[in-house]
Amino acid sequence: MKILPTRAASVSRQGLCTALLVASLTAAVGAGAPHNTADTDDPSKDPKNPQGMPHGTPNLTLPDLRPNGRPGLPGTTGPGKDDAKDAATGIPATALDAYRKAAQRAATDMPACHMPWELIAGIGQVETQHATYNGARMTADGTTDKPILGPQLDGNGFATVKDTDQGRWDGDAVYDKAVGPTQFLPSTWAQYGADGNGDGVKNPNNIYDAALATAKYLCAGGKDMNRPEDLDRAVLSYNNSRSYVNAVTEWMRAYQQGNVPSLPDRTGVPSGNVPSGSVPSGGSPSGNAPSGNAPSRNVPSGKPQPSKPGTTPSTGGKPSGKPAEPGGGKPSTPPTKPPTKPDEPQKPKPPAQRADRLEQVGDGKGWETTAGETFKDKARVLVKDQSGKPMAGAKVRFVVSGDGAAFTDASTELTVTTGKDGTAEALRVVAGLKIGKVEVTATVVGRDLPAVKFTGTVSVRAADKVLVVGEPAQQADPNGAFADRFTVKVVTKDGKDVVGTAITATVTKADGTTPAAKEGPYFKGPDGKRTWRLEAGTTDKDGVLALPVLLTDGKSGDYVLNVTTADGKLHAFRLTVKAPTATLPSATPTPAKQAP
């Protein structure tokens, strides 16, 4: 959510009372469609970046960083700290998990950015107080139960941003609105949206997707969050206001101090938070709260209060033991239980079903195959809830790793929803072209549970023959190269291709000895130097391998190129380096004698 260009925000912190918002906001977008930036561009360098323009009113309240300050804040000590700490720096468990997972993904996908999860959390706190604004709560997969929307960006107190998503995310087909836990504009989401929970959908209303997209947006353009100037530019691109940058970075530092309780996911209007999208264009509502959106306190107003037990006419003066109605009349309706006080603890609801355990299904004996072939077994897991019963509807992410390995649809990652029996099954895995290990890791989306891993072994078929492909020239001139690359095909005894077998190429003299002083035909090794023995690689899916170009030096003679498989099968090419052609001296005519 973005700051109104003419509105001051309350800032609570030692030594600070009120901070006037910086009037350095970029000019609003015109009537045309907003300017979009590419993933690889730096939005902080785009003066028409709509995300940095005013499109809401964030909560700029700062954490108190005093060592012995207000109870419950980072670094505080003494009585009252435990009572207030949740309201100060606690983060709902789902949001906290989403921030941490987003930073982990960023460390893998954008390692040079050095994205701290605390920075993403700072954005989430200032924008929507971790997706809890106005009673919003998150479902089991991290999606808010109702959209958190900013105001209509029609230029009335905010930027003018015409619709870019046909109302898909913000429900407005005329103008855009900021959407979700970290308040992305639809046009920005189209460029930087991410699938943080692996369900195959990029949803700005999902805290996992929004958190990863926030990391992606802040890192765009090659920024490094370890560089103060890059961090500053990144946050300014989210909201072009110095007060906003101060709020986000102070919350980031507060979280980095380590006092971050994991709170139960809950509903409620965040204390002190000013909504995006509920502030009228005519001004800020009194009390810094949304007009018409504050929750009622459930205190009866204007209703008669029950009196002490008395007598009623219907009982003939006999005490009834019931409160008398005002005026002494008989109650027209049965007495009801007094309303619950606002601060009275509510009866806890039974906990929602959540994934609590992830177990392997099957014995894993089918996890052996040869290079390029498909494993017989599949990765299959069982999800159980906190009562130990199979859980339907849980999302399980499967990731395959290993040199060249992939699922049968050519992907390396997929998400499967558990059925009624609580199980989820991945596609079969196709091995790569090299021997070694393949691993499939299963995790429950949105839950920090121990992963289940399936490990497969990739071997190579037994080779029987090494065949020559084509008819390569086996003679060459000195100080040159053989005209054709030597290509071989390896097969089994029954003629099947041998995929993934390692090939070694060695050059010797015709009598089988190593050339004297390393002379004769040679390859260039990985280091660019001459070599007479080369680990040439492995055969492809057709059992074929083409050797690098074979070069010659100035020495002539007969040589042998030996091509050997990993299990010792051999083919020998007879080579000849021709002698250099003798060059005869040109005849110089003797000048004729001239007559005296």
Side-chain angles (χ1 to χ4, degrees):
M1 288 175 280
K2 298 301 168 283
I3 300 171
L4 283 171
T6 59
R7 185 174 301 160
S10 173
V11 180
S12 171
R13 187 185 180 199
Q14 180 187 12
L16 291 178
C17 295
T18 304
L20 191 61
L21 300 184
V22 177
S24 60
L25 300 175
T26 313
V29 177
H35 178 76
N36 290 332
T37 57
D39 250 2
T40 55
D41 292 339
D42 186 349
S44 66
K45 295 181 179 180
D46 182 4
K48 294 184 179 181
N49 172 29
Q51 189 69 36
M53 296 181 181
H55 58 259
T57 307
N59 174 23
L60 299 182
T61 302
L62 302 182
D64 191 334
L65 304 182
R66 290 177 295 174
N68 294 291
R70 180 160 52 92
L73 294 178
T76 60
T77 58
K81 176 179 179 181
D82 292 338
D83 296 336
K85 68 181 181 181
D86 286 0
T89 56
I91 299 177
T94 299
L96 183 59
D97 184 57
Y99 300 147
R100 287 173 169 164
K101 281 185 167 57
Q104 291 169 1
R105 281 283 300 274
T108 300
D109 300 342
M110 301 167 284
C113 183
H114 303 105
M115 172 59 64
W117 71 261
E118 294 91 346
L119 175 56
I120 307 172
I123 296 286
Q125 158 67 26
V126 173
E127 291 290 351
T128 63
Q129 200 160 340
H130 313 304
T132 63
Y133 169 68
N134 202 21
R137 61 173 296 170
M138 287 171 284
T139 58
D141 70 345
T143 303
T144 56
D145 61 347
K146 56 184 176 181
I148 303 176
L149 299 176
Q152 187 182 59
L153 300 180
D154 57 1
N156 188 9
F158 298 97
T160 301
V161 182
K162 291 279 190 162
D163 173 67
T164 60
D165 67 336
Q166 291 75 52
R168 177 187 180 188
W169 297 119
D170 56 11
D172 191 330
V174 180
Y175 294 96
D176 272 347
K177 299 177 182 177
V179 181
T182 55
Q183 291 292 278
F184 273 101
L185 290 189
S187 58
T188 310
W189 184 259
Q191 296 295 327
Y192 298 94
D195 179 13
N197 63 357
D199 64 356
V201 178
K202 298 177 181 180
N203 183 359
N205 298 299
N206 181 278
I207 189 70
Y208 290 93
D209 294 0
L212 182 58
T214 300
K216 184 179 176 183
Y217 177 83
L218 295 172
C219 289
K223 290 190 289 294
D224 180 356
M225 297 303 103
N226 282 347
R227 292 168 53 88
E229 60 271 27
D230 280 5
L231 188 149
D232 188 74
R233 287 194 301 112
V235 181
L236 277 173
S237 72
Y238 219 99
N239 185 316
N240 194 11
S241 162
R242 182 55 52 191
S243 297
Y244 182 88
V245 174
N246 290 343
V248 169
T249 54
E250 292 300 335
W251 278 106
M252 176 188 72
R253 294 186 183 100
Y255 295 137
Q256 287 174 334
Q257 291 188 6
N259 180 21
V260 188
S262 177
L263 308 180
D265 294 325
R266 63 189 188 280
T267 62
V269 176
S271 174
N273 196 20
V274 182
S276 160
S278 296
V279 180
S281 60
S284 176
S286 64
N288 216 21
S291 174
N293 285 300
S296 64
R297 292 178 55 80
N298 201 28
V299 177
S301 173
K303 293 182 180 180
Q305 299 298 318
S307 63
K308 294 181 180 180
T311 60
T312 67
S314 63
T315 60
K318 185 178 180 179
S320 66
K322 297 179 181 180
E325 282 290 304
K330 184 178 180 180
S332 59
T333 57
T336 58
K337 185 179 179 180
T340 303
K341 295 181 180 179
D343 55 353
E344 181 178 315
Q346 300 296 314
K347 184 178 180 181
K349 296 180 180 180
Q353 187 186 33
R354 60 178 175 80
D356 192 65
R357 292 180 61 187
L358 182 65
E359 299 178 356
Q360 176 178 330
V361 177
D363 55 17
K365 292 182 178 179
W367 287 94
E368 291 185 1
T369 192
T370 55
E373 296 296 319
T374 303
F375 287 97
K376 294 180 180 179
D377 212 345
K378 297 180 181 179
R380 192 164 182 259
V381 294
L382 170 65
V383 178
K384 293 183 177 179
D385 63 15
Q386 60 267 46
S387 65
K389 296 180 180 179
M391 179 177 173
K395 294 186 183 299
V396 178
R397 181 183 294 116
F398 295 94
V399 179
V400 61
S401 59
D403 201 339
F407 293 111
T408 52
D409 65 353
S411 69
T412 57
E413 181 175 329
L414 53 87
T415 300
V416 180
T417 302
T418 57
K420 293 181 179 179
D421 61 353
T423 64
E425 183 178 87
L427 298 173
R428 284 191 169 87
V429 175
V430 181
L433 303 184
K434 294 184 179 180
I435 62 173
K437 299 292 184 182
V438 169
E439 189 171 81
V440 179
T441 303
T443 56
V444 178
V445 175
R447 296 286 295 152
D448 189 15
L449 301 176
V452 171
K453 296 186 177 182
F454 301 82
T455 302
T457 302
V458 182
S459 58
V460 177
R461 290 172 175 165
D464 181 66
K465 293 179 181 178
V466 180
L467 308 175
V468 180
V469 177
E471 297 180 357
Q474 295 179 227
Q475 292 187 352
D477 295 323
N479 295 315
F482 285 87
D484 303 312
R485 293 176 63 181
F486 293 94
T487 302
V488 295
K489 181 181 178 70
V490 184
V491 297
T492 64
K493 188 175 294 186
D494 54 0
K496 292 182 178 180
D497 300 333
V498 177
V499 179
T501 187
I503 298 291
T504 303
T506 307
V507 178
T508 65
K509 283 184 154 185
D511 59 5
T513 61
T514 303
K518 297 294 184 182
E519 297 173 349
Y522 63 91
F523 296 102
K524 279 193 176 181
D527 58 359
K529 297 181 180 180
R530 295 185 182 189
T531 182
W532 287 262
R533 186 180 188 280
L534 180 69
E535 301 294 335
T538 58
T539 52
D540 64 13
K541 61 183 180 61
D542 299 316
V544 174
L545 177 68
L547 302 181
V549 174
L550 186 61
L551 305 169
T552 59
D553 59 11
K555 298 293 183 180
S556 60
D558 295 326
Y559 300 91
V560 177
L561 171 61
N562 301 286
V563 178
T564 311
T565 66
D567 45 4
K569 301 303 177 181
L570 170 69
H571 182 85
F573 294 91
R574 300 288 176 178
L575 308 177
T576 299
V577 179
K578 295 181 281 187
T581 303
T583 302
L584 299 177
S586 59
T588 303
T590 303
K593 292 182 179 182
Q594 295 182 356

